[in-house]
Amino acid sequence: MRKITYRDALREALREEMLRDSSVFLLGEDIGRYWGGAFKVTDGLAQEFGDERVRDTPISESAIIGTAVGAAITGMRPVAEIMFGDLTALAMDQIANQAAKIRYMFGGQTKCPLVIRTPFGAGVNIASHHSQSLEAWFMHVPGLYVAVPSTPYDAKGLLKTAIRGSNPVFFCEHKLLYPIEGEVPEEEYTIPFGKAEVKREGADVTVVATMYMVHKALSAAKQLEKEGLSVEIVDPRTLTPLDRRAIVASVRKTGRIVVVSEDCKTAGVSAEIAAVVAEEALDYLDAPVKRVAEPDTPIPFSPPLEQHVIPDEKAIIKAIKEVV
Amino acid sequence: MTLDLPKESLVKMYRKMLEIRFFEEKVFGLYGQNLVPGTIHLYAGEEAVAVGVCSALSKDDYITSTHRGHGHCIAKGADLKRTMAEILGKKTGYCKGKGGSMHIADFSIGMLGATAVVGAGLPIAVGAGLSARLRKTGQVVACFFGEGASNQGTFHESINMASAWKLPVIFVCENNLYAMGTRQSRIMNIENIADRAVSYGIPGVSVDGNDVLAVYEAACVAVERARRVEGPTLIECKTYRQKGHSRVDPAKYRPREEVEGWLQRDPIKRLRHKLIQTVISTEAELQEIEKEVSSEIEDAVKFAVESTFPAPEEALEDVYAQI
């Protein structure tokens, strides 16, 4: 099968959905013909679809999302890009109070088919305002779906589902994933929300990991295989809805779990998954739940400082060894 | 000002303003009887703004509204019964009791809903305008907000964006002089919010917001400009709320002379006087309308009071749309 990058997979999803449905349009800062998006995800789309459907906006995050909400409730399917995930803080009212609640508060009169794409993640030395992983903020807002694709295949399939759906989707990308290559079929496919994927089968311990951490977990699993440890890796792919059943099923099989997430540990993604296991799979556990996450600090700039806070293979291996 | 309007249009405006006033008086009373959960923000005194603007719109044009939104709903043509039922938290309300006084919407008449976050409706209105542009429908959007909201970042972001893209949005600032209890002069160094339009390169006009015909005329100009794809307009309507900010606010921070002055400029009394003075309507005709409206409001109250509350478990519905 052909291999393409995560970035190209996202672009293919956008392009194909724009071709399929004239109500799909894109808006964001510098996503148009002059720049093609800060991470080049939308590169070339303005040339193909025109400036009306691939809209460069002012630097006004709140208005970008609010405009997308207004368009979504009146028949369009906007896909808004926020250049860095950290900047969603500027648009938080529109995301959390408006997009997420507009259907509920109006008694189901309307739908808000809106996708907000944004990159999270540390590792490129751009410090605290451009490196955070804030997925958990959005898990805490009923009314939003949260997608966290880790591969080009998942990125394309989940983005298509997000665009075709009837609800606001907070679509997390990761800066370090954009150049990663993976198999993506030429033919049409979508991936349903709420369906985790076992990225690697194993028998001794379950690792639930998301986004870039899936790749670090895979690498850790490979190293541990040489030591005779069989690691199963479960990638939830969407955090809302969360495939609790798949997580519990894996824990039932292995009796051990390590949750790996790049965001801060306190009240983060790993905390929610650990809570699910505590509530629904405690009886299957042979060891306490272990979490590998960033410490509760902002992301520092200098390379040795930054590397110190991002979970790495070593930390994952250590955690796995502690539970087996 | 005398506009060359047919009698039926003028009488319709009078009737709509009266509907809002009588409706709000009833809500005020029902609150006192503990029939209204939560809080309420009454529109009494500002009727000319909603009615003047909405009279310049078509049914399929859009509006966005605020926490003080009952008047916007009624002016756009919302059903009185369902509006009242929503305020009382009943299942028969517009939002099945999920929104209440501050969150009423009727998408079937282009009323895109009220948001209770001050200033949050502006970018949503811009999005509806962009949608109308992309769908080539010719619809325009009237976006209501108060002078307090004009200090939010969304005011700047939204008007700039609408202006840059020449979107069909009419930004209607209801300047009632007070953001809760804070007088405009204490927090702003300008008198006219409309002056801010200059910085976006769009027309900004200040009108007497207690003169429904002045509001209507300004709105017509703005609507025509929007439909000609020339972009948005900022209309500031100088008005005054006759009650406090919310039901529990006696509004003691307002000087008595100021309140009395504005009560004398009551928008409904002024239109009534004009209709009589110009011999458009007779006293008997207007009394008949007043009787009719009063009876409609009574029906709405009866409907709302007699409606059942939603079943508790309905709280879990409508979070997500099924595909």
Side-chain angles (χ1 to χ4, degrees):
Chain A
M1 198 189 295
R2 69 170 182 151
K3 284 189 167 184
I4 61 171
T5 63
Y6 187 91
R7 172 189 290 117
D8 291 344
L10 290 166
R11 189 186 305 114
E12 275 192 6
L14 294 171
R15 180 173 178 273
E16 289 172 19
E17 292 310 297
M18 289 180 82
L19 285 170
R20 201 181 67 87
D21 182 348
S22 63
S23 68
V24 178
F25 75 101
L26 318 182
L27 73 167
E29 295 158 11
D30 263 316
I31 64 163
R33 68 178 67 237
Y34 300 99
W35 205 294
F39 292 92
K40 302 288 177 199
V41 172
T42 52
D43 201 21
L45 295 179
Q47 285 85 337
E48 182 172 358
F49 294 100
D51 301 334
E52 283 278 290
R53 288 183 73 194
V54 184
R55 249 166 211 275
D56 278 328
T57 65
I59 302 174
S60 301
E61 280 78 9
S62 192
I64 291 170
I65 303 301
T67 294
V69 171
I73 60 171
T74 53
M76 299 299 288
R77 291 184 176 273
V79 181
E81 177 178 302
I82 298 294
M83 195 183 284
F84 286 88
D86 315 70
L87 311 178
T88 57
L90 289 158
M92 210 55 177
D93 172 61
Q94 290 297 329
I95 299 171
N97 288 330
Q98 312 303 328
K101 297 178 174 61
I102 205 160
R103 172 178 174 79
Y104 185 84
M105 289 203 315
F106 298 148
Q109 283 186 67
T110 188
K111 293 175 180 177
C112 189
L114 152 66
V115 181
I116 302 166
R117 293 181 37 248
T118 197
F120 283 130
V124 292
N125 312 122
I126 45 177
S128 295
H129 289 166
H130 293 82
S131 304
Q132 297 169 85
S133 294
L134 303 169
E135 302 91 296
W137 285 7
F138 304 93
M139 291 171 75
H140 205 70
V141 182
L144 296 179
Y145 283 144
V146 182
V148 284
S150 66
T151 65
Y153 181 85
D154 291 351
K156 183 171 178 184
L158 290 170
L159 185 51
K160 286 190 152 220
T161 301
I163 293 171
R164 292 183 195 183
S166 305
N167 293 290
V169 178
F170 194 85
F171 196 90
C172 308
E173 299 167 7
H174 193 294
K175 296 171 198 80
L176 298 181
L177 287 173
Y178 287 127
I180 280 186
E181 289 199 334
E183 290 186 343
V184 175
E186 302 268 2
E187 58 272 16
E188 168 78 17
Y189 70 96
T190 58
I191 298 173
F193 281 10
K195 292 290 274 186
E197 186 182 54
V198 175
K199 288 284 197 269
R200 177 194 167 98
E201 298 226 7
D204 298 332
V205 58
T206 297
V207 171
V208 177
T210 56
M211 305 196 75
Y212 195 59
M213 289 298 137
V214 170
H215 300 270
K216 291 195 175 179
L218 283 167
S219 152
K222 238 182 208 170
Q223 293 177 47
L224 288 171
E225 192 177 20
K226 292 175 204 147
E227 300 177 29
L229 264 179
S230 169
V231 178
E232 174 145 303
I233 294 173
V234 178
D235 176 356
R237 302 201 288 193
T238 55
L239 294 172
T240 310
L242 182 65
D243 191 350
R244 294 160 161 251
R245 193 180 297 182
I247 294 167
V248 170
S250 181
V251 170
R252 191 171 187 166
K253 185 167 88 173
T254 64
R256 293 172 166 84
I257 182 166
V258 173
V259 187
V260 186
S261 177
E262 189 174 321
D263 62 333
C264 294
K265 195 167 186 175
T266 301
V269 172
S270 64
E272 179 60 28
I273 293 171
V276 167
V277 173
E279 274 186 342
E280 300 178 22
L282 193 65
D283 292 344
Y284 309 126
L285 285 177
D286 297 322
V289 176
K290 269 275 160 199
R291 292 192 282 153
V292 180
E294 266 165 8
D296 295 334
T297 64
I299 307 294
F301 159 67
S302 180
L305 298 178
E306 186 183 40
Q307 286 310 313
H308 185 71
V309 301
I310 305 173
D312 59 9
E313 284 89 339
K314 237 170 71 185
I316 299 170
I317 289 170
K318 182 167 174 278
I320 291 173
K321 286 187 170 172
E322 280 169 7
V323 299
V324 294
Chain B
M1 185 190 314
T2 310
L3 276 178
D4 193 16
L5 276 173
K7 174 179 176 176
E8 61 185 272
S9 303
L10 293 167
V11 170
K12 197 175 159 198
M13 285 183 191
Y14 181 70
R15 187 185 190 102
K16 274 284 162 212
M17 297 202 326
L18 217 51
E19 279 180 16
I20 298 171
R21 177 67 56 88
F22 287 2
F23 185 94
E24 295 294 59
E25 283 171 355
K26 274 292 165 193
V27 173
F28 189 84
L30 291 169
Y31 191 95
Q33 296 170 49
N34 274 335
L35 289 171
V36 182
T39 188
I40 47 171
H41 305 84
L42 299 178
Y43 199 69
E46 305 185 14
E47 294 89 347
V49 181
V51 172
V53 170
C54 290
S55 299
L57 302 176
S58 308
K59 190 185 172 191
D60 64 346
D61 288 329
Y62 296 124
I63 65 165
T64 65
S65 171
T66 70
H67 59 286
R68 196 177 306 287
H70 307 166
H72 305 140
C73 292
I74 295 170
K76 191 69 173 71
D79 179 66
L80 296 172
K81 291 178 176 166
R82 294 184 68 196
T83 306
M84 189 64 88
E86 185 60 34
I87 292 166
L88 267 55
K90 299 299 180 73
K91 187 178 168 59
T92 51
Y94 265 115
C95 312
K96 301 186 285 191
K98 293 221 173 73
S101 165
M102 291 190 279
H103 307 290
I104 302 174
D106 180 356
F107 279 70
S108 71
I109 55 166
M111 163 53 180
L112 299 179
T115 168
V117 178
V118 171
L122 281 92
I124 295 174
V126 174
L130 175 59
S131 168
R133 164 74 50 78
L134 292 171
R135 290 181 291 114
K136 300 185 171 65
T137 60
Q139 290 160 291
V140 303
V141 189
C143 170
F144 294 99
F145 58 92
E147 90 288 349
S150 77
N151 294 324
Q152 286 279 27
T154 48
F155 173 90
H156 172 66
E157 292 188 19
S158 303
I159 302 183
N160 177 62
M161 199 180 270
S163 170
W165 294 346
K166 292 196 168 21
L167 296 179
V169 185
I170 296 109
F171 293 98
V172 183
C173 177
E174 302 175 315
N175 186 351
N176 62 20
L177 283 177
Y178 291 85
M180 261 178 75
T182 305
R183 197 181 163 80
Q184 183 193 336
S185 57
R186 292 175 55 215
I187 48 163
M188 293 164 87
N189 206 16
I190 55 169
E191 198 182 328
N192 297 320
I193 310 297
D195 293 349
R196 292 185 166 174
V198 175
S199 57
Y200 308 107
I202 62 166
V205 288
S206 282
V207 300
D208 179 349
N210 280 20
D211 178 348
V212 68
L213 299 178
V215 174
Y216 173 75
E217 190 178 53
C220 286
V221 172
V223 166
E224 280 166 29
R225 172 179 148 83
R227 293 209 210 277
R228 287 195 308 265
V229 198
E230 289 173 14
T233 301
L234 173 60
I235 302 175
E236 175 188 21
C237 303
K238 307 264 194 193
T239 185
Y240 204 72
R241 55 172 148 81
Q242 293 187 349
K243 303 281 186 191
H245 164 71
S246 58
R247 179 61 168 85
V248 295
D249 170 26
K252 286 185 177 158
Y253 43 82
R254 304 193 301 192
R256 178 175 297 183
E257 315 77 66
E258 179 184 285
V259 177
E260 280 166 5
W262 280 96
L263 287 175
Q264 278 171 17
R265 296 198 292 282
D266 182 295
I268 297 176
K269 281 188 198 151
R270 281 169 72 182
L271 182 61
R272 194 182 201 284
H273 183 70
K274 195 170 293 183
L275 291 174
I276 298 283
Q277 202 184 30
T278 51
V279 207
I280 290 172
S281 300
T282 64
E283 185 65 37
E285 280 173 330
L286 296 183
Q287 279 174 9
E288 183 57 30
I289 290 170
E290 285 148 14
K291 231 173 80 188
E292 281 170 21
V293 171
S294 183
S295 149
E296 277 173 43
I297 302 296
E298 286 300 338
D299 289 348
V301 172
K302 187 167 185 291
F303 173 83
V305 169
E306 288 175 358
S307 288
T308 56
F309 281 106
E313 58 273 17
E314 286 177 37
L316 307 180
E317 294 171 5
D318 297 322
V319 182
Y320 294 96
Q322 302 309 310
I323 300 300

